[in-house]
Amino acid sequence: MLPLGGTALGSLLTACGGGSDDAASKPSFASASFTAMAAPSLVTPADMAKTLVSSTLTVKFSDETTQGFSLAYAPFFTTGDLVPDGKGGTLLAGGYVDFAGKPIIDATVAGKERQFFSDSPDGTSLLKLDSATVAGVKGNTVFAVVQFEYTTWAQDGKTDMYGRLPSPIAVLTLDQDPATGKLSLVKYHNVDTAPAMGLWITCGASLSPWGTHLSSEEYEPDAFTIAGNAQFKAYSLNLFGDATKANPYHYGHLPEVTVNPDGTGTIKKHYCLGRISHELIQVMPDNRTAIMGDDATNGGFFLFVADKEKDLSAGTLYVAKFGAGFSLDPAAAGAAITWIKLGSATSAEIKALADTLKPADIMDVATTDPLDASYTKIWLSGKVQWVRVKAGMDKAAAFLETHRYAAIKGGSMAFTKMEGTTVNAKDKVAYSALQNMQSSMVRGNAAWNADYNITIDKALNAGGVLAHTLSAGQKDSAGTAINSEWVPSLTKTLLVGEDLATADTLGNLANPDKVGAPDNLKFSEKLRTLFIGEDSSYHVNNFIWAYNVDTKVLSRVASMPSGAEATGLGVVDDLNGWTYITSNFQHPGDWITNASGTGLHDKVKAALDPLVRANYKDRFGAQVGYLTGAATGMKLGKIA
């Protein structure tokens, strides 16, 4: 987690609302900007092997004066650390447990058996409760929910563990120093995920407007091929002790975590938002409308409108159909969006269907043309299939086979790896990250369908960010009004990266001064800034960027350890008078070698591998933390 920090920035942002003449006479916050840091280089290898923050934040006041703050990174812990459980004992940070809560043991190295722990922390939500009651807090009680997406390898360094362990999720109780804004870990609590049937590959996350943590389950397991899925069998074995017990229809949904005043947490899984590759949902200010990316090949853009405010357990699901006009040129007019209703349901009724139905009960799927007009040709995960829904099974298909059903209904299932989503409420614009623009988006590719109206002529591996205009008065494709004032109606390109024809001297395959494979997105209303975290196999170091939507300036604010993905991005504008940006990273030293033979990290691995191993538990550890002021105790004198 990351306060914009060590400073009373939040106080500054909320100042000038007091009742005294003295307060009214003080200059108020006017704007903020970031001074970019340079990308690290082999001139200083140590900088490439750690989280580096050498950017500055400059605040401008209404009287034209300014004040600058140097930024730095403050971790709460490295995964694999022993952290306080709030009861006088300790827990393993990022440690894996089974359905009964017992540690899952890595026995791949004889005589060195240990509990598995994650090297991939991801989605993080920072929040407070008015009624918090956690012993040991000396200042203000603050909470963070942190999920752990996966672990890359067993300790033998040979056994692939991706998706083979049930994702843990934890509530952190943090002690906020009222004078400096510093956050210190007091208690670590493992949330019992049994009520959600365990969690599958939890990636990005967001904080709901009502203060809960909205998690994710990406890359939903294909129920039709599950019998041959070794990854899912291993997941089931580690979770239940039985390789055949896990039901694929229980995964690929939206979990929600509620923090309790005592620093514990409870979880429920919503089955009515579609079974897709959930990455990062964004709920609009109306507390009902949610837009969702879909981290898949042949992925779609989805909309959910809840029946009630602050309650995602029932509602209506839509998929986008794009008109002509999609372009990578930010100056282009953009593509209009219409919405196709997939169905309305409650989470309880879809859970009941998931409990009882088999894939063949819902639809027929063929991988070669059955020469039968009752089948529809679709594109799924880069390949062609022919599918038809069984009689009476439309609701089950819509919510349990969402990718296939959305394609049948005419949705534009065209995107590759649509990841983070966030909203600029003032301007009524939402943003979506496309980590890559490849395969299903590229004219002539085997995964491409011209009817989807999402076409580029050449792959852009470095990806980009889309901007969606949000509108009221929208109707679905059947002419029925959509009950929301926050419906995406037009999509344009905001930012794109730049692929390099050949690697530069450091090994980058994308321009390091532009975004490269954007993933996490979060928007600060106060700072008028879109924060972008990278998951790039094209930058030697992944970066966090700050893009000011008014000045159009893109600034590099942080660099992750080489080989690590920037994750856990979150922004809280005012938390007891402080502004925080959370930031984690995962799998440091993931030395990627491209199939082309040009190794992205070949030029840095020899120098950096020993440093990364020394910093992060032989590359098995990763960090959870936040951006803060380099010096603690700073106040914004005139305003604070």
Side-chain angles (χ1 to χ4, degrees):
M1 289 121 278
L2 339 179
L4 269 188
T7 70
L9 178 58
S11 297
L12 175 151
L13 296 176
T14 56
C16 298
S20 69
D21 292 338
D22 181 62
S25 66
K26 291 180 179 179
S28 60
F29 170 85
S31 64
S33 62
F34 290 87
T35 300
M37 57 175 274
S41 72
L42 284 175
V43 173
T44 311
D47 287 347
M48 299 184 70
K50 67 179 182 180
T51 299
L52 179 69
V53 184
S54 56
S55 53
T56 59
L57 170 66
T58 299
V59 176
K60 183 177 180 181
F61 303 100
S62 58
D63 64 356
E64 298 298 317
T65 60
T66 61
Q67 190 168 2
F69 302 94
S70 298
L71 301 180
Y73 183 65
F76 295 134
F77 56 78
T78 302
T79 58
D81 286 351
L82 292 176
V83 290
D85 65 0
K87 303 174 183 177
T90 58
L91 291 170
L92 188 69
Y96 288 89
V97 297
D98 63 16
F99 198 74
K102 296 180 180 179
I104 301 174
I105 302 302
D106 179 351
T108 58
V109 178
K112 295 185 178 181
E113 293 78 9
R114 68 184 188 190
Q115 183 181 2
F116 275 108
F117 58 90
S118 176
D119 67 344
S120 297
D122 206 301
T124 298
S125 296
L126 190 62
L127 58 102
K128 70 173 182 177
L129 300 176
D130 293 335
S131 56
T133 56
V134 182
V137 176
K138 299 177 182 179
N140 300 320
T141 303
V142 172
F143 300 105
V145 183
V146 181
Q147 59 197 42
F148 300 88
E149 185 178 0
Y150 59 90
T151 196
T152 308
W153 302 101
Q155 62 174 321
D156 64 359
K158 301 176 182 178
T159 304
D160 182 2
M161 296 306 300
Y162 178 79
R164 288 164 167 78
L165 295 165
S167 295
I169 194 162
V171 175
L172 314 182
T173 300
L174 305 169
D175 188 346
Q176 183 191 48
D177 187 326
T180 67
K182 180 181 178 181
L183 301 176
S184 302
L185 180 64
V186 171
K187 176 181 177 179
Y188 182 105
H189 168 77
N190 278 318
V191 176
D192 179 9
T193 64
M197 303 304 294
L199 299 180
W200 168 266
I201 311 180
T202 54
C203 195
S206 64
L207 179 66
S208 74
W210 52 93
T212 59
H213 175 85
L214 301 179
S215 182
S216 60
E217 292 184 309
E218 69 176 357
Y219 307 136
E220 80 284 7
D222 187 349
F224 282 88
T225 60
I226 207 66
N229 189 329
Q231 177 196 46
F232 191 70
K233 289 180 180 179
Y235 172 87
S236 180
L237 181 63
N238 283 312
L239 178 60
F240 294 113
D242 181 339
T244 64
K245 188 171 183 178
N247 176 353
Y249 283 142
H250 287 158
Y251 308 99
H253 301 286
L254 184 84
E256 181 177 15
V257 176
T258 299
V259 176
N260 301 318
D262 64 354
T264 62
T266 57
I267 193 168
K268 56 185 173 183
K269 191 177 287 187
H270 297 296
Y271 287 76
C272 55
L273 283 85
R275 185 170 168 269
I276 60 175
S277 188
H278 284 286
E279 168 76 15
L280 196 163
I281 188 174
Q282 178 64 54
V283 178
M284 299 296 119
D286 65 352
N287 292 311
R288 294 177 56 250
T289 305
I291 58 175
M292 297 173 278
D294 183 19
D295 187 4
T297 298
N298 293 114
F301 186 38
F302 292 90
L303 170 74
F304 179 79
V305 182
D307 291 346
K308 300 177 181 178
E309 288 189 24
K310 303 180 182 181
D311 183 356
L312 299 177
S313 65
T316 301
L317 180 66
Y318 303 85
V319 66
K321 172 67 176 179
F322 286 82
F326 182 84
S327 171
L328 298 187
D329 181 0
I337 304 174
T338 55
W339 291 93
I340 300 169
K341 179 180 176 179
L342 299 181
S344 299
T346 68
S347 180
E349 64 181 317
I350 303 305
K351 171 63 162 56
L353 295 176
D355 290 345
T356 56
L357 295 177
K358 301 299 182 184
D361 298 331
I362 300 173
M363 59 174 52
D364 296 313
V365 173
T367 55
T368 58
D369 190 348
L371 302 177
D372 183 333
S374 65
Y375 283 78
T376 300
K377 181 181 180 180
I378 69 165
W379 282 256
L380 181 80
S381 299
K383 297 180 180 179
V384 173
Q385 294 187 348
W386 289 262
V387 297
R388 67 180 176 187
V389 179
K390 297 287 184 71
M393 287 292 165
D394 280 84
K395 180 169 285 190
F399 293 94
L400 295 178
E401 289 292 341
T402 308
H403 276 131
R404 291 183 170 97
Y405 191 74
I408 292 173
K409 301 300 284 186
S412 292
M413 305 301 289
F415 293 104
T416 48
K417 297 186 70 63
M418 181 181 278
E419 307 226 17
T421 307
T422 191
V423 64
N424 168 351
K426 179 181 178 181
D427 297 339
K428 292 199 77 170
V429 175
Y431 306 102
S432 295
L434 289 176
Q435 182 187 343
N436 311 117
M437 298 178 180
Q438 300 171 333
S439 58
S440 57
M441 298 179 67
V442 180
R443 188 187 306 277
N445 187 278
W448 172 76
N449 177 10
D451 293 340
Y452 291 158
N453 285 328
I454 301 294
T455 300
I456 57 178
D457 291 322
K458 181 182 179 182
L460 180 61
N461 298 322
V465 178
L466 304 181
H468 314 288
T469 301
L470 303 171
S471 303
Q474 301 300 296
K475 296 180 179 181
D476 66 23
S477 58
T480 303
I482 299 175
N483 187 21
S484 170
E485 296 183 354
W486 297 85
V487 178
S489 60
L490 179 75
T491 290
K492 299 180 63 174
T493 297
L494 180 73
L495 294 169
V496 291
E498 179 188 351
D499 294 344
L500 300 178
T502 57
D504 66 13
T505 55
L506 195 62
N508 291 300
L509 290 171
N511 187 336
D513 292 323
K514 296 184 178 181
V515 294
D519 187 329
N520 285 203
L521 295 181
K522 286 295 188 296
F523 187 77
S524 168
E525 295 286 342
K526 295 291 187 180
L527 301 181
R528 298 284 294 161
T529 296
L530 176 66
F531 293 94
I532 305 165
E534 295 182 342
D535 175 12
S536 177
S537 57
Y538 302 96
H539 283 170
V540 172
N541 287 86
N542 281 312
F543 307 124
I544 296 175
W545 301 90
Y547 178 75
N548 187 296
V549 297
D550 297 320
T551 65
K552 316 301 183 188
V553 174
L554 180 70
S555 305
R556 183 189 294 105
V557 296
S559 173
M560 300 299 105
S562 184
E565 173 185 345
T567 63
L569 187 61
V571 181
V572 180
D573 281 330
D574 184 1
L575 190 62
N576 299 320
W578 297 86
T579 298
Y580 293 87
I581 301 174
T582 62
S583 179
N584 312 328
F585 65 81
Q586 57 182 223
H587 54 72
D590 185 7
W591 305 121
I592 300 165
T593 298
N594 295 320
S596 66
T598 303
L600 178 63
H601 294 101
D602 288 353
K603 298 180 180 181
V604 299
K605 180 179 178 180
L608 300 188
D609 190 63
L611 300 176
V612 172
R613 289 182 182 278
N615 288 342
Y616 305 115
K617 294 183 168 63
D618 204 22
R619 287 179 38 202
F620 288 103
Q623 289 185 329
V624 174
Y626 63 93
L627 297 180
T628 181
T632 60
M634 289 195 299
K635 292 281 188 177
L636 298 180
K638 294 183 180 180
I639 302 300

